[in-house]
């Protein structure tokens, strides 16, 4: 490879990544607004401000974009929860189990758009084996990571879990997602949705923990 080729790669690679991320941002908005099936490549490109050529230079199909979006959403949620765990441990506050879970999940709480997007991904995964595999792996990774956070926090705060940490995490996350979806279907505003999710996850966490 020549010096010129190396320089070109260094210049175009970040630009291509920026284009890819803008397409993912646009797809997240369009999918949440009209659903995956109704979302066209043209609508995604228009929202992102790119041509179809830009789309197909980054993704072969809309399904491939959906897989990439699923991976990105998963990574963002895990990073947000990890940051909150670090902040909680640094502050060293005295917290009850319900408050601890609320603080832990607050960082990654989805607004309506995020809730709709997650529901769209899950619905699509029921019909698409490739996306189903990616979604299951995403969920398993999320549960495992949150489970490890829960286990560490339980030791830090002196809580005894009534179920294994990964099972605890799975139950909390499932309640979180189901309650958020129910709140959107019920027409609750963001504040009421947030309150309902907090109440249900905190109540479940309290039931699953025995203070030492």
């Amino acid at each position: 490879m020549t010096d010129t080729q190396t320089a070109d790669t260094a210049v175009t690679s970040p630009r291509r990544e920026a284009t890819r991320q803008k397409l993912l941002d646009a797809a997240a908005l369009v999918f949440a607004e009209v659903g995956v099936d109704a979302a066209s490549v043209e609508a995604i490109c228009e929202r992102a401000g790119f041509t179809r050529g830009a789309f197909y230079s980054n993704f072969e199909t809309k399904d491939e974009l959906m897989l990439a979006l699923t991976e990105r959403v998963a990574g963002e949620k895990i990073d947000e929860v990890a940051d909150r765990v670090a902040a909680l441990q640094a502050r060293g506050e005295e917290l009850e189990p319900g408050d601890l879970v609320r603080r832990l999940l607050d960082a990654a709480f989805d607004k309506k758009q995020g809730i709709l997007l997650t529901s769209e991904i899950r619905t699509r995964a029921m019909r698409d084996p490739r996306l189903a595999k990616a979604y299951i792996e995403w969920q398993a990774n999320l549960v495992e990571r949150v489970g490890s956070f829960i286990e560490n926090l339980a030791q830090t705060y002196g809580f005894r879990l009534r179920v294994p940490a990964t099972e605890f995490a799975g139950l909390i996350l499932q309640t979180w997602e189901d309650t958020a979806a129910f709140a959107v279907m019920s027409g609750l505003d963001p504040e009421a949705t947030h309150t309902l999710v907090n109440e249900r996850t905190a109540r479940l966490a309290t039931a699953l923990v025995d203070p030492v």
Side-chain angles (χ1 to χ4, degrees), residues 111-113 115-116 119-120 122-123 174-190 192-193 196-197 200:
K111 294 182 173 63
K112 183 176 180 179
Q113 178 200 327
I115 297 167
L116 289 170
S119 296
E120 280 295 322
R122 184 161 55 178
T123 299
Q174 189 64 57
T175 299
W176 179 37
E177 286 188 7
D178 290 347
T179 302
F182 171 80
V184 170
M185 287 186 285
S186 300
L188 299 185
D189 61 35
T193 297
L196 182 62
V197 171
R200 290 191 176 180

Side-chain angles (χ1 to χ4, degrees), residues 139-174:
Q139 284 291 92
N141 188 34
L142 182 61
V143 168
E144 183 178 353
R145 290 292 302 279
V146 173
S148 68
F149 297 149
I150 292 292
E151 190 166 25
N152 289 336
L153 289 170
Q155 293 174 357
T156 299
Y157 287 91
F159 298 143
R160 184 170 54 246
L161 305 179
R162 293 180 176 177
V163 295
T166 52
E167 184 177 349
F168 182 103
L171 290 168
I172 291 293
L173 290 169
Q174 189 64 57

Side-chain angles (χ1 to χ4, degrees), residues 11 22 25 91:
V11 170
K22 285 183 180 179
D25 290 341
R91 284 198 294 268

Side-chain angles (χ1 to χ4, degrees), residues 5 8 43 46 56 63 91 104 113 121 132 158 169 172 180 205 209:
Q5 288 174 315
D8 287 344
E46 182 178 352
Y56 287 112
D63 286 344
R91 284 198 294 268
L104 183 64
Q113 178 200 327
I121 291 173
I172 291 293
V209 170

Side-chain angles (χ1 to χ4, degrees), residues 77-160:
K77 285 185 180 296
I78 290 173
D79 288 345
E80 288 168 354
V81 174
D83 289 344
R84 181 54 63 95
V85 169
L88 285 171
Q89 291 178 324
R91 284 198 294 268
E93 299 176 64
E94 291 292 331
L95 296 171
E96 293 299 316
D99 290 331
L100 185 61
V101 167
R102 179 178 59 78
R103 297 278 191 93
L104 183 64
L105 297 181
D106 251 1
F109 182 78
D110 286 326
K111 294 182 173 63
K112 183 176 180 179
Q113 178 200 327
I115 297 167
L116 289 170
L117 176 59
T118 300
S119 296
E120 280 295 322
I121 291 173
R122 184 161 55 178
T123 299
R124 181 76 171 192
M126 293 179 189
R127 298 193 296 267
D128 185 327
R130 280 204 314 155
L131 187 57
K133 183 174 183 293
Y135 181 82
I136 290 170
E137 289 176 355
W138 160 34
Q139 284 291 92
N141 188 34
L142 182 61
V143 168
E144 183 178 353
R145 290 292 302 279
V146 173
S148 68
F149 297 149
I150 292 292
E151 190 166 25
N152 289 336
L153 289 170
Q155 293 174 357
T156 299
Y157 287 91
F159 298 143
R160 184 170 54 246

Side-chain angles (χ1 to χ4, degrees), residues 4-17:
T4 301
Q5 288 174 315
T6 302
D8 287 344
T9 301
V11 170
T12 58
S13 182
R15 184 185 306 153
R16 178 166 183 159
E17 180 60 23

